Amino acid sequence: MNIYIAFGSNQALGRITPRELIEQAADALEEAGVRLVARSSLWRSPAWPDPADPPYINAVAAVETSQSPEQLLQCLHAVEARFGRARGQRNAPRTLDLDLIDFNGLVLNDGDGLILPHPRAHQRAFVLAPLQEIAPGWTHPVTGEGVAALIDALAGDDIAATRTVAAFTAAG
C-alpha cells in the first residue's frame, strides 16, 4: 500500500510540545488501526502565511490500514480533535494538522471534503521534503511528476527553510 499522511504542529497543547504532539498523534493512529510502516525525520518549516507565527514541526508517514479513504480521513480528524485541533481560520497556527496526501494513487473529489491526492501537497516543501525521505520514488497521481521534480520546481527559499531537526520515532 502507498498511503501517506503528513503531520504538522506549531502550537503546544498545555505542556505538550509540537514535537511531542506529532509523536503522540502517531501513537493514537496506531491505536486506531493505522499502522505506520515508515516515518520521515521531523522537519522544521516557517509558518505560512505569517512567518512571525511559531515555526512548524512536520513529518510524513507511510501507513497501512484496512480503512477506506473516507474512514481514514475521519480517523485523522478525530485524532486532530483529541489533540486540541480547532478548525477555524485557514492556515492559522494549530496544535495538530494531519493531512491525507495519497491513498494508493487514488484520484478522488467526493465533494464532501475528501480530495485525493491532497490538492496542495505538490506545492509544499514541508510535505515534499519528508515525503522524499521515505518515498523517493513517489509520483504525483495526477501530474505524474516524481517527488524530486516537484521539489526542484519549488522556489529555493521554500526548500532552504525546511530542515530536518530530529528523528520521528514512536513515543514511549
Side-chain angles (χ1 to χ4, degrees):
M1 293 182 105
N2 294 309
I3 303 170
Y4 300 100
I5 297 171
F7 295 71
S9 175
N10 77 333
Q11 280 189 330
L13 179 61
R15 296 178 126 181
I16 306 170
T17 67
R19 178 181 175 174
E20 292 166 333
L21 283 165
I22 289 174
E23 301 284 357
Q24 290 180 23
D27 290 344
L29 287 172
E30 293 268 358
E31 293 166 9
V34 179
R35 185 171 163 260
L36 280 69
V37 295
R39 301 171 188 222
S40 72
S41 300
L42 293 174
W43 293 71
R44 177 173 285 124
S45 61
W48 186 91
D50 186 354
D53 286 333
Y56 275 86
I57 300 296
N58 301 99
V60 170
V63 304
E64 291 179 348
T65 184
S66 61
Q67 297 177 25
S68 70
E70 295 81 8
Q71 291 168 324
L72 181 56
L73 184 63
Q74 289 175 357
C75 177
L76 297 179
H77 288 169
V79 171
E80 287 176 338
R82 176 176 162 185
F83 290 98
R85 169 74 186 267
R87 292 189 180 274
Q89 181 181 352
R90 188 176 190 175
N91 299 316
R94 60 200 69 166
T95 56
L96 186 63
D97 187 25
L98 300 174
D99 287 329
L100 182 53
I101 302 302
D102 186 7
F103 195 99
N104 292 321
L106 183 63
V107 177
L108 174 71
N109 185 345
D110 72 0
D112 211 16
L114 178 58
I115 302 172
L116 290 169
H118 187 283
R120 292 168 300 284
H122 66 287
Q123 301 166 332
R124 295 177 168 171
F126 60 85
V127 171
L128 294 174
L131 178 62
Q132 184 180 37
E133 185 181 335
I134 62 167
W138 181 81
T139 58
H140 192 281
V142 174
T143 69
E145 293 175 279
V147 67
L150 291 168
I151 288 172
D152 287 346
L154 294 177
D157 288 347
D158 289 343
I159 291 297
T162 302
R163 295 283 180 221
T164 183
V165 293
F168 176 22
T169 59

